[in-house]
Amino acid sequence: MTVFNTRLGLTVSDAVASPDHPAARLVVAELRRRATEMTDGCAAREISGHRLLTALMTDQETRDYRALLHACVLAVGVFPIDLYDEVEAALRISDRAIRNCLPTPHTTDRR
Protein backbone atom coordinates (compact mmCIF):
# COMPACT_ATOMS: atom_id res chain seq x y z
CA MET A 1 0.00 0.00 0.00
CA THR A 2 2.94 2.33 0.65
CA VAL A 3 4.05 2.06 -2.98
CA PHE A 4 0.55 2.93 -4.19
CA ASN A 5 0.28 5.89 -1.81
CA THR A 6 3.72 7.15 -2.82
CA ARG A 7 2.98 6.86 -6.53
CA LEU A 8 -0.39 8.53 -6.07
CA GLY A 9 1.23 11.38 -4.15
CA LEU A 10 3.90 11.78 -6.82
CA THR A 11 1.18 11.89 -9.48
CA VAL A 12 -0.64 14.59 -7.52
CA SER A 13 2.60 16.52 -7.14
CA ASP A 14 3.16 16.25 -10.91
CA ALA A 15 -0.17 18.00 -11.37
CA VAL A 16 1.16 20.86 -9.23
CA ALA A 17 3.20 22.80 -11.72
CA SER A 18 5.33 24.82 -9.33
CA PRO A 19 6.90 24.63 -5.87
CA ASP A 20 5.25 28.00 -5.26
CA HIS A 21 1.74 26.56 -5.64
CA PRO A 22 -0.11 26.57 -2.27
CA ALA A 23 -0.88 22.84 -2.49
CA ALA A 24 2.72 21.88 -3.25
CA ARG A 25 3.98 22.11 0.31
CA LEU A 26 1.01 20.15 1.65
CA VAL A 27 1.49 17.30 -0.83
CA VAL A 28 5.23 17.19 -0.26
CA ALA A 29 4.91 17.31 3.52
CA GLU A 30 2.43 14.42 3.52
CA LEU A 31 4.59 12.28 1.25
CA ARG A 32 7.67 12.91 3.36
CA ARG A 33 5.77 12.18 6.56
CA ARG A 34 4.51 8.85 5.26
CA ALA A 35 7.88 7.72 3.95
CA THR A 36 9.73 8.62 7.12
CA GLU A 37 7.10 7.18 9.48
CA MET A 38 7.11 3.91 7.57
CA THR A 39 10.92 4.05 7.19
CA ASP A 40 10.24 2.92 3.64
CA GLY A 41 13.43 3.11 1.61
CA CYS A 42 11.66 2.53 -1.70
CA ALA A 43 9.30 5.43 -1.04
CA ALA A 44 12.24 7.59 0.03
CA ARG A 45 14.09 6.71 -3.17
CA GLU A 46 11.09 7.68 -5.31
CA ILE A 47 10.59 10.92 -3.39
CA SER A 48 14.25 11.91 -3.41
CA GLY A 49 14.33 11.58 -7.18
CA HIS A 50 11.33 13.82 -7.79
CA ARG A 51 11.96 17.40 -8.94
CA LEU A 52 9.20 19.13 -6.94
CA LEU A 53 9.88 17.24 -3.75
CA THR A 54 13.61 17.81 -3.85
CA ALA A 55 13.02 21.50 -4.59
CA LEU A 56 11.02 21.81 -1.37
CA MET A 57 13.28 19.69 0.86
CA THR A 58 15.36 21.29 3.55
CA ASP A 59 19.02 20.33 3.87
CA GLN A 60 18.15 18.26 6.94
CA GLU A 61 15.39 16.39 5.10
CA THR A 62 17.79 15.65 2.26
CA ARG A 63 20.30 14.23 4.76
CA ASP A 64 17.55 12.20 6.45
CA TYR A 65 16.48 10.68 3.14
CA ARG A 66 20.06 9.84 2.22
CA ALA A 67 20.49 8.16 5.61
CA LEU A 68 17.30 6.15 5.09
CA LEU A 69 18.41 5.10 1.61
CA HIS A 70 21.80 4.08 2.97
CA ALA A 71 20.21 2.14 5.86
CA CYS A 72 18.03 0.27 3.35
CA VAL A 73 21.07 -0.33 1.10
CA LEU A 74 19.24 1.41 -1.75
CA ALA A 75 21.86 4.03 -2.43
CA VAL A 76 24.90 1.81 -2.27
CA GLY A 77 24.81 0.49 -5.83
CA VAL A 78 26.21 -2.94 -4.96
CA PHE A 79 24.74 -5.95 -3.24
CA PRO A 80 26.35 -6.63 0.17
CA ILE A 81 28.38 -9.81 -0.21
CA ASP A 82 27.65 -10.92 3.36
CA LEU A 83 23.94 -11.17 2.48
CA TYR A 84 24.40 -12.94 -0.84
CA ASP A 85 24.28 -16.51 0.54
CA GLU A 86 21.16 -15.78 2.60
CA VAL A 87 19.33 -14.21 -0.32
CA GLU A 88 20.37 -17.00 -2.66
CA ALA A 89 19.06 -19.62 -0.21
CA ALA A 90 15.78 -17.71 0.18
CA LEU A 91 15.42 -17.53 -3.62
CA ARG A 92 15.97 -21.27 -3.96
CA ILE A 93 13.33 -21.99 -1.31
CA SER A 94 10.91 -19.57 -2.98
CA ASP A 95 11.54 -21.13 -6.38
CA ARG A 96 10.77 -24.63 -5.04
CA ALA A 97 7.64 -23.41 -3.25
CA ILE A 98 6.33 -21.69 -6.38
CA ARG A 99 7.10 -24.66 -8.60
CA ASN A 100 5.35 -27.01 -6.14
CA CYS A 101 2.21 -24.86 -6.39
CA LEU A 102 2.09 -24.90 -10.17
CA PRO A 103 -0.12 -27.47 -11.84
CA THR A 104 1.70 -30.36 -13.46
CA PRO A 105 1.34 -30.27 -17.23
CA HIS A 106 -0.86 -33.09 -18.47
CA THR A 107 0.46 -35.12 -21.26
CA THR A 108 -1.96 -36.36 -23.84
CA ASP A 109 -1.33 -39.01 -26.41
CA ARG A 110 -2.60 -37.75 -29.77
CA ARG A 111 -2.22 -40.84 -31.91
PDB file of all heavy atoms in Angstrom, residues 90-105:
ATOM      1  N   ALA A  90      17.199 -18.091   0.150  1.00  0.00           N
ATOM      2  CA  ALA A  90      15.783 -17.713   0.178  1.00  0.00           C
ATOM      3  C   ALA A  90      15.170 -17.815  -1.220  1.00  0.00           C
ATOM      4  O   ALA A  90      14.022 -18.266  -1.373  1.00  0.00           O
ATOM      5  CB  ALA A  90      15.626 -16.308   0.731  1.00  0.00           C
ATOM      6  N   LEU A  91      15.918 -17.432  -2.242  1.00  0.00           N
ATOM      7  CA  LEU A  91      15.417 -17.530  -3.617  1.00  0.00           C
ATOM      8  C   LEU A  91      15.215 -18.975  -4.039  1.00  0.00           C
ATOM      9  O   LEU A  91      14.229 -19.311  -4.708  1.00  0.00           O
ATOM     10  CB  LEU A  91      16.368 -16.828  -4.584  1.00  0.00           C
ATOM     11  CG  LEU A  91      16.375 -15.305  -4.509  1.00  0.00           C
ATOM     12  CD1 LEU A  91      17.494 -14.730  -5.371  1.00  0.00           C
ATOM     13  CD2 LEU A  91      15.030 -14.742  -4.928  1.00  0.00           C
ATOM     14  N   ARG A  92      16.118 -19.847  -3.634  1.00  0.00           N
ATOM     15  CA  ARG A  92      15.973 -21.273  -3.963  1.00  0.00           C
ATOM     16  C   ARG A  92      14.727 -21.856  -3.293  1.00  0.00           C
ATOM     17  O   ARG A  92      13.968 -22.597  -3.917  1.00  0.00           O
ATOM     18  CB  ARG A  92      17.219 -22.045  -3.549  1.00  0.00           C
ATOM     19  CG  ARG A  92      18.412 -21.777  -4.412  1.00  0.00           C
ATOM     20  CD  ARG A  92      19.612 -22.612  -3.941  1.00  0.00           C
ATOM     21  NE  ARG A  92      20.831 -22.116  -4.492  1.00  0.00           N
ATOM     22  CZ  ARG A  92      21.301 -22.427  -5.699  1.00  0.00           C
ATOM     23  NH1 ARG A  92      20.614 -23.215  -6.476  1.00  0.00           N
ATOM     24  NH2 ARG A  92      22.444 -21.916  -6.118  1.00  0.00           N
ATOM     25  N   ILE A  93      14.518 -21.515  -2.037  1.00  0.00           N
ATOM     26  CA  ILE A  93      13.331 -21.992  -1.308  1.00  0.00           C
ATOM     27  C   ILE A  93      12.063 -21.453  -1.976  1.00  0.00           C
ATOM     28  O   ILE A  93      11.095 -22.195  -2.182  1.00  0.00           O
ATOM     29  CB  ILE A  93      13.398 -21.582   0.173  1.00  0.00           C
ATOM     30  CG1 ILE A  93      14.523 -22.344   0.872  1.00  0.00           C
ATOM     31  CG2 ILE A  93      12.065 -21.812   0.875  1.00  0.00           C
ATOM     32  CD1 ILE A  93      14.872 -21.809   2.250  1.00  0.00           C
ATOM     33  N   SER A  94      12.070 -20.183  -2.320  1.00  0.00           N
ATOM     34  CA  SER A  94      10.908 -19.575  -2.982  1.00  0.00           C
ATOM     35  C   SER A  94      10.640 -20.238  -4.322  1.00  0.00           C
ATOM     36  O   SER A  94       9.486 -20.513  -4.670  1.00  0.00           O
ATOM     37  CB  SER A  94      11.134 -18.088  -3.199  1.00  0.00           C
ATOM     38  OG  SER A  94      11.311 -17.437  -1.975  1.00  0.00           O
ATOM     39  N   ASP A  95      11.686 -20.490  -5.082  1.00  0.00           N
ATOM     40  CA  ASP A  95      11.539 -21.131  -6.382  1.00  0.00           C
ATOM     41  C   ASP A  95      10.885 -22.506  -6.231  1.00  0.00           C
ATOM     42  O   ASP A  95       9.940 -22.837  -6.955  1.00  0.00           O
ATOM     43  CB  ASP A  95      12.904 -21.253  -7.053  1.00  0.00           C
ATOM     44  CG  ASP A  95      12.826 -21.909  -8.420  1.00  0.00           C
ATOM     45  OD1 ASP A  95      12.154 -21.330  -9.307  1.00  0.00           O
ATOM     46  OD2 ASP A  95      13.410 -22.998  -8.605  1.00  0.00           O
ATOM     47  N   ARG A  96      11.363 -23.298  -5.275  1.00  0.00           N
ATOM     48  CA  ARG A  96      10.773 -24.625  -5.044  1.00  0.00           C
ATOM     49  C   ARG A  96       9.314 -24.525  -4.631  1.00  0.00           C
ATOM     50  O   ARG A  96       8.460 -25.278  -5.108  1.00  0.00           O
ATOM     51  CB  ARG A  96      11.563 -25.383  -3.974  1.00  0.00           C
ATOM     52  CG  ARG A  96      12.770 -26.127  -4.508  1.00  0.00           C
ATOM     53  CD  ARG A  96      13.304 -27.124  -3.497  1.00  0.00           C
ATOM     54  NE  ARG A  96      13.685 -26.526  -2.235  1.00  0.00           N
ATOM     55  CZ  ARG A  96      14.882 -26.003  -1.964  1.00  0.00           C
ATOM     56  NH1 ARG A  96      15.817 -26.004  -2.876  1.00  0.00           N
ATOM     57  NH2 ARG A  96      15.126 -25.484  -0.782  1.00  0.00           N
ATOM     58  N   ALA A  97       9.015 -23.566  -3.730  1.00  0.00           N
ATOM     59  CA  ALA A  97       7.640 -23.410  -3.255  1.00  0.00           C
ATOM     60  C   ALA A  97       6.706 -23.023  -4.399  1.00  0.00           C
ATOM     61  O   ALA A  97       5.606 -23.562  -4.517  1.00  0.00           O
ATOM     62  CB  ALA A  97       7.588 -22.364  -2.144  1.00  0.00           C
ATOM     63  N   ILE A  98       7.154 -22.120  -5.239  1.00  0.00           N
ATOM     64  CA  ILE A  98       6.326 -21.690  -6.378  1.00  0.00           C
ATOM     65  C   ILE A  98       6.131 -22.847  -7.349  1.00  0.00           C
ATOM     66  O   ILE A  98       5.014 -23.115  -7.804  1.00  0.00           O
ATOM     67  CB  ILE A  98       6.950 -20.472  -7.078  1.00  0.00           C
ATOM     68  CG1 ILE A  98       6.857 -19.244  -6.159  1.00  0.00           C
ATOM     69  CG2 ILE A  98       6.270 -20.202  -8.422  1.00  0.00           C
ATOM     70  CD1 ILE A  98       7.685 -18.064  -6.618  1.00  0.00           C
ATOM     71  N   ARG A  99       7.212 -23.542  -7.659  1.00  0.00           N
ATOM     72  CA  ARG A  99       7.102 -24.664  -8.602  1.00  0.00           C
ATOM     73  C   ARG A  99       6.194 -25.763  -8.054  1.00  0.00           C
ATOM     74  O   ARG A  99       5.463 -26.401  -8.813  1.00  0.00           O
ATOM     75  CB  ARG A  99       8.479 -25.226  -8.936  1.00  0.00           C
ATOM     76  CG  ARG A  99       9.294 -24.289  -9.793  1.00  0.00           C
ATOM     77  CD  ARG A  99      10.681 -24.854 -10.100  1.00  0.00           C
ATOM     78  NE  ARG A  99      11.524 -23.855 -10.692  1.00  0.00           N
ATOM     79  CZ  ARG A  99      11.519 -23.524 -11.978  1.00  0.00           C
ATOM     80  NH1 ARG A  99      10.698 -24.134 -12.804  1.00  0.00           N
ATOM     81  NH2 ARG A  99      12.321 -22.591 -12.440  1.00  0.00           N
ATOM     82  N   ASN A 100       6.217 -25.988  -6.742  1.00  0.00           N
ATOM     83  CA  ASN A 100       5.350 -27.009  -6.142  1.00  0.00           C
ATOM     84  C   ASN A 100       3.880 -26.620  -6.206  1.00  0.00           C
ATOM     85  O   ASN A 100       3.011 -27.484  -6.143  1.00  0.00           O
ATOM     86  CB  ASN A 100       5.757 -27.282  -4.695  1.00  0.00           C
ATOM     87  CG  ASN A 100       7.060 -28.043  -4.606  1.00  0.00           C
ATOM     88  OD1 ASN A 100       7.460 -28.723  -5.547  1.00  0.00           O
ATOM     89  ND2 ASN A 100       7.723 -27.938  -3.472  1.00  0.00           N
ATOM     90  N   CYS A 101       3.595 -25.338  -6.313  1.00  0.00           N
ATOM     91  CA  CYS A 101       2.213 -24.863  -6.387  1.00  0.00           C
ATOM     92  C   CYS A 101       1.653 -24.870  -7.808  1.00  0.00           C
ATOM     93  O   CYS A 101       0.434 -24.803  -7.993  1.00  0.00           O
ATOM     94  CB  CYS A 101       2.107 -23.441  -5.828  1.00  0.00           C
ATOM     95  SG  CYS A 101       2.376 -23.366  -4.062  1.00  0.00           S
ATOM     96  N   LEU A 102       2.532 -24.934  -8.778  1.00  0.00           N
ATOM     97  CA  LEU A 102       2.088 -24.899 -10.172  1.00  0.00           C
ATOM     98  C   LEU A 102       1.490 -26.243 -10.563  1.00  0.00           C
ATOM     99  O   LEU A 102       1.960 -27.296 -10.133  1.00  0.00           O
ATOM    100  CB  LEU A 102       3.253 -24.574 -11.096  1.00  0.00           C
ATOM    101  CG  LEU A 102       3.865 -23.189 -10.943  1.00  0.00           C
ATOM    102  CD1 LEU A 102       5.099 -23.057 -11.832  1.00  0.00           C
ATOM    103  CD2 LEU A 102       2.848 -22.115 -11.272  1.00  0.00           C
ATOM    104  N   PRO A 103       0.453 -26.203 -11.393  1.00  0.00           N
ATOM    105  CA  PRO A 103      -0.119 -27.472 -11.839  1.00  0.00           C
ATOM    106  C   PRO A 103       0.873 -28.221 -12.729  1.00  0.00           C
ATOM    107  O   PRO A 103       1.650 -27.615 -13.466  1.00  0.00           O
ATOM    108  CB  PRO A 103      -1.358 -27.060 -12.622  1.00  0.00           C
ATOM    109  CG  PRO A 103      -1.142 -25.635 -12.995  1.00  0.00           C
ATOM    110  CD  PRO A 103      -0.216 -25.057 -11.960  1.00  0.00           C
ATOM    111  N   THR A 104       0.844 -29.533 -12.628  1.00  0.00           N
ATOM    112  CA  THR A 104       1.701 -30.357 -13.458  1.00  0.00           C
ATOM    113  C   THR A 104       1.092 -30.428 -14.848  1.00  0.00           C
ATOM    114  O   THR A 104      -0.104 -30.668 -14.983  1.00  0.00           O
ATOM    115  CB  THR A 104       1.803 -31.777 -12.866  1.00  0.00           C
ATOM    116  OG1 THR A 104       2.153 -31.663 -11.493  1.00  0.00           O
ATOM    117  CG2 THR A 104       2.828 -32.603 -13.589  1.00  0.00           C
ATOM    118  N   PRO A 105       1.901 -30.192 -15.872  1.00  0.00           N
ATOM    119  CA  PRO A 105       1.336 -30.274 -17.230  1.00  0.00           C
ATOM    120  C   PRO A 105       0.861 -31.697 -17.519  1.00  0.00           C
ATOM    121  O   PRO A 105       1.532 -32.670 -17.184  1.00  0.00           O
ATOM    122  CB  PRO A 105       2.488 -29.881 -18.132  1.00  0.00           C
ATOM    123  CG  PRO A 105       3.677 -29.692 -17.294  1.00  0.00           C
ATOM    124  CD  PRO A 105       3.286 -29.874 -15.860  1.00  0.00           C
TER     125      PRO A 105
END
